[in-house]
Amino acid sequence: MNRLKSGLATGGLMALALAVSPAIPAGAATSATAPTAGTAAAAPAAGNEATLKAAEQAKAPATASALGLGSDEKLTVRSVITDADGATHVRYERTLGGLRVIGGDLVAHRDGSGTLTGTTYNLRKAVRPASLTPRIDRSRAEATAAATSRAAGKRTGAGELVVFQGATGPRLAYDVVTTGVQADQTPSRLHTVVDATTGATLTSFDEIKHGTGQGIFVGTVSLGTTSSGGSYQLRDSIGNYTTDLNGATSGTGTTFTDADDQWGNGSVSSRQSAAVDAHYGAEKTYDYYNTQLGRAGIWNNGTGARSRVHYGSNYSNAFWDGTQMTYGDGASNTHPLVELDVAGHEMSHGVTENTANLTYSGESGGLNEATSDIFGTAVEWYANNPSDTPDYLIGEEVNLNGNGTPLRYMDKPSKDGASKDCWSSSLKGLDPHYSSGPLNHWYYLLSEGSGAKTINGVSYNSPTCNGGTVTGISHQKAEKIWYRTLSTYLTSSSTYSNARTGAVRAAKDLYGAGSAECSSVEAAFSAISVVATSETCGGGTTPPPTTGTGVTNGGFESGQTGWTGSSGPITNDSGRPAHGGSWKMWLGGNGTTASENEAQTIAVPSSATSPTLTYWVRVDTAETTTSTAYDKATVSVGGTAVKSYSNLSSPKATWSQVTVDLSAWKGQSVSLKFAATEDSSAQTSFVFDDVATSF
C-alpha cells in the first residue's frame, strides 16, 4: 500500500518543563443555565475559525441585547465551538464604556436553530463598578507595578484603565505590564492590576512561568519537512517550524536547514538533535488535537507553532509565551529540555489560553495546570513512542528529584510530597502545580478506575477520597469529555465545582444522560471530594439488550477478531490515526486500483425500541478534482447501502460520528459491511473506528 511518510530523523535529548502563559485573573467562576443537552452532540468539530468568528461577531449586538446587557456593554467573539448537530457555543470578551473587562468573559449556548438556550458567565453577569472615573493617577499605578517587578532591565508600559471582575465585585483598575528578564534568563511580562480608586494592588503575576528538567532520547522519528532551494527546512505543511536561537534570549532564531533531510544524530554533538525532538513534539501535539479532539491546533485555525531551541546559556527551563515554545540547553548546555511531554504540556497551555483562559491562580490555576498535565499525557499516549512508553506519570524521564522518581503521579498525586489527592477549600492558596492534583487524580480514575493495576509495565494503586470505587471508561473518552468541558463550559475563573458541573454536561452531550460514561464522571468527581451540584446525569443507566448480537471488536483493538474480508485494512499502521486506541479499519489509501472490505453479522433484537448503529469516519484524499468521484466507500446493512463516501466527501481529514437507524432490520440477523474501491491514480483513505450498536 502506498502509505508513505516524510523526513526520517534521529532525535536528541529531551526533558519536561512546566510553563504557562496564563490569563489575567478574575476570581472564581460560576455557571448560569446550561444549554439543552442531548446525545446528538459529538466532539467539537474544527472549522474555519476566522469565518465562524466573523459571522458570530455580526450577531454580537443582538446577543448582548438578548442577554440584557447594558447599551454601553459590547461583546467581542473570542472563539466558536460548533457541535455535530449544529449547536454553537460562542465565547465572548466584554467591554464596558469602552473599557476592557477582566473577568467579564461569558459563553452563549445556542441550539441548531440559533435559539439562545443558556449562558455561562464568569463569576457574575453584572460588571459595572460604582464609578468609571479613576481617583488615582495612572502614573501612581505604573510606579506600583514597577516596584512589584524583580526583573532585570525592566520597562513598565502605560497602564490601561480596565474593569476588574473580582471576588468582591467589579472594580475600576489599571492593568500595568512590566517587561524584563528574570534572574534565570526567563523573559518576564508581569501584569499588576491596581485599584484605580484606592491604589491597592488587586492581583499581580507573570504571563510566563516555567519549570526545570534533564533530557532523554526520543529515538528515530518521522518529521514533516519542506524542500526549499535545494535543501530542506524543518518546517511542516501546516506551519510547525523550529529555529536555532544559538544562545540568544530574544528574536525568532534561524530556521534549521539540511541537505539530505536526515536530521540529527541522537546526540547533543549535533545542534539538530534538540530541534528534532522539539519539532516532533510540536507535530504530535498538533496531530493529537486535530485528529482526536477535532481542534485544528492551538488557535483552531489550522496553523502550527514555532519552536525555538538553544535559548540562552545553561538555561534549564522551557516556556510557552503565548505564541511559541522555547527550550534551553540545560546544565552545561548539554541537556536540552525538549522531551515530548514538554510540547504536549506547554502547548496545551496555549489551548487553554484560547478557550477557557483559566486564570493561573486559585482553583482555576490548578485546573489550568492539570489540563496541561492531562493533555501532555494524552499526547504521550497518542504518539506511543517506543522511547517514551505512555503512562500516567508526569516527567518520569526527567529525574528532577535525582532519585529516578517522576515529578507528579496521576493515580495518587500526594506521592510527590506536595500535591493533593482530594479537593478542599485550602486548594485556592496552593501553587497551581499542587492544586492541580485532584483533577489529575480525577483524570486517572475516569480513565482507568480505582484500585491496584499494572499498565504498560507500571504499577498504579489509585485510592478514592470517599472510600468508593470508580469504573474507568478509557483515557480517550476522558480526554474528549475534559476537552469539551474546557472549550464549552468553563470560564477564566472556574472552580472545581464548576469543573464537575461542566464535565457532567459534557458527558451528557457526548454520551447521553444516564450513560455509563456520565455516571463514571460523577463517581470520579465524588472520589476526589468535589460535591455534587444541580447538574447530574439522571435517567439511570441504559440497560443492555435482552436479545440480539452487537458489534464484535468495534474498536479493532483485537485486530481481525470478529471481522472477515480483505487482509490489511484492520491495522495499527501510524500512517492514519485511530479515533480511539491505536487500531482502526483503513480502507483505501493505496493509490492503485483496489477493492477492500470488512464485514460481520449482527442480530438486531425484535424488542428494540430505537436500535442504532454508530461509528466514526475520517476521509482524506490526494485527488484534486472537485466534481468527479473516483474513489468510493459504502457502509451497508443487510446488503443495503446506508451511507456512502467518496473523494468528494466533506469535511476531509477530520473525525465525525455517524448514526444509522436500524429499525428496518429489527428481528433479523444481517451483514454489516464496510467496503471501498479506488481507481489507478491518487489515493483516498476511508478510515472507520469505534463501531457500535445500541439496542
Side-chain angles (χ1 to χ4, degrees), residues 220-232:
T220 299
V221 294
S222 182
L223 301 172
T225 59
T226 302
S227 177
S228 176
S231 65
Y232 295 88

Side-chain angles (χ1 to χ4, degrees), residues 155-230:
R155 300 180 62 180
T156 299
E160 175 192 1
L161 193 64
V162 299
V163 174
F164 176 76
Q165 178 74 296
T168 59
R171 312 283 285 274
L172 188 68
Y174 291 102
D175 177 24
V176 187
V177 180
T178 304
T179 61
V181 179
Q182 299 178 49
D184 67 352
Q185 305 177 64
T186 304
S188 175
R189 287 204 295 267
L190 185 72
H191 285 261
T192 306
V193 181
V194 180
D195 193 309
T197 300
T198 66
T201 297
L202 299 175
T203 190
S204 179
F205 64 91
D206 209 305
E207 285 186 27
I208 302 172
K209 300 200 181 297
H210 58 276
T212 62
Q214 298 180 15
I216 63 171
F217 289 103
V218 69
T220 299
V221 294
S222 182
L223 301 172
T225 59
T226 302
S227 177
S228 176

Side-chain angles (χ1 to χ4, degrees), residues 322-386:
T323 61
Q324 61 194 353
M325 275 297 305
T326 302
Y327 302 88
D329 283 330
S332 303
N333 289 324
T334 57
H335 296 80
L337 280 85
V338 286
E339 192 239 341
L340 177 60
D341 279 355
V342 178
H345 179 106
E346 305 297 357
M347 294 175 73
S348 291
H349 279 306
V351 172
T352 297
E353 184 179 300
N354 286 277
T355 52
N357 207 19
L358 289 162
T359 303
Y360 204 70
S361 63
E363 288 193 25
S364 59
L367 298 179
N368 186 318
E369 187 63 23
T371 294
S372 282
D373 281 349
I374 288 169
F375 291 126
T377 299
V379 170
E380 187 173 281
W381 279 99
Y382 171 75
N384 199 23
N385 187 295

Side-chain angles (χ1 to χ4, degrees), residues 132-171:
L132 293 179
T133 302
R135 291 187 180 180
I136 69 166
D137 293 335
R138 190 186 311 267
S139 59
R140 178 177 166 185
E142 292 166 357
T144 298
T148 302
S149 174
R150 298 291 183 268
K154 60 187 177 185
R155 300 180 62 180
T156 299
E160 175 192 1
L161 193 64
V162 299
V163 174
F164 176 76
Q165 178 74 296
T168 59
R171 312 283 285 274

Side-chain angles (χ1 to χ4, degrees), residues 254-468:
T254 304
T255 301
F256 279 90
T257 61
D258 187 83
D260 61 4
D261 209 19
Q262 300 296 307
W263 303 84
N265 61 6
S267 166
V268 294
S269 63
S270 168
R271 297 185 67 80
Q272 291 182 354
S273 294
V276 167
D277 293 325
H279 195 67
Y280 173 80
E283 290 192 309
K284 286 300 181 183
T285 301
Y286 181 96
D287 288 348
Y288 167 76
Y289 277 103
N290 189 37
T291 63
Q292 305 304 302
L293 301 179
R295 183 179 184 85
I298 293 170
W299 299 279
N300 202 23
N301 61 0
T303 61
R306 177 169 57 225
S307 298
R308 304 185 303 173
V309 297
H310 303 308
Y311 173 92
S313 179
N314 302 317
Y315 181 68
S316 297
N317 288 299
F319 57 87
W320 165 262
D321 65 7
T323 61
Q324 61 194 353
M325 275 297 305
T326 302
Y327 302 88
D329 283 330
S332 303
N333 289 324
T334 57
H335 296 80
L337 280 85
V338 286
E339 192 239 341
L340 177 60
D341 279 355
V342 178
H345 179 106
E346 305 297 357
M347 294 175 73
S348 291
H349 279 306
V351 172
T352 297
E353 184 179 300
N354 286 277
T355 52
N357 207 19
L358 289 162
T359 303
Y360 204 70
S361 63
E363 288 193 25
S364 59
L367 298 179
N368 186 318
E369 187 63 23
T371 294
S372 282
D373 281 349
I374 288 169
F375 291 126
T377 299
V379 170
E380 187 173 281
W381 279 99
Y382 171 75
N384 199 23
N385 187 295
S387 295
D388 191 358
T389 304
D391 52 42
Y392 293 98
L393 306 174
I394 305 299
E396 71 281 0
E397 306 287 355
V398 176
N399 195 25
L400 182 64
N401 300 322
N403 59 4
T405 59
L407 297 177
R408 290 195 285 280
Y409 304 78
M410 284 185 149
D411 64 323
K412 186 173 172 47
S414 60
K415 288 173 68 176
D416 68 10
S419 294
K420 302 300 180 183
D421 295 333
C422 313
W423 179 88
S424 73
S425 59
S426 65
L427 280 185
K428 60 181 178 291
L430 299 179
D431 181 286
H433 292 89
Y434 306 137
S435 59
S436 63
L439 190 65
N440 281 344
H441 191 191
W442 170 84
Y443 166 68
Y444 175 85
L445 287 168
L446 186 60
S447 298
E448 301 293 346
S450 53
K453 58 199 66 183
T454 300
I455 305 168
N456 278 358
V458 178
S459 296
Y460 302 94
N461 193 354
S462 191
T464 59
C465 306
N466 64 350

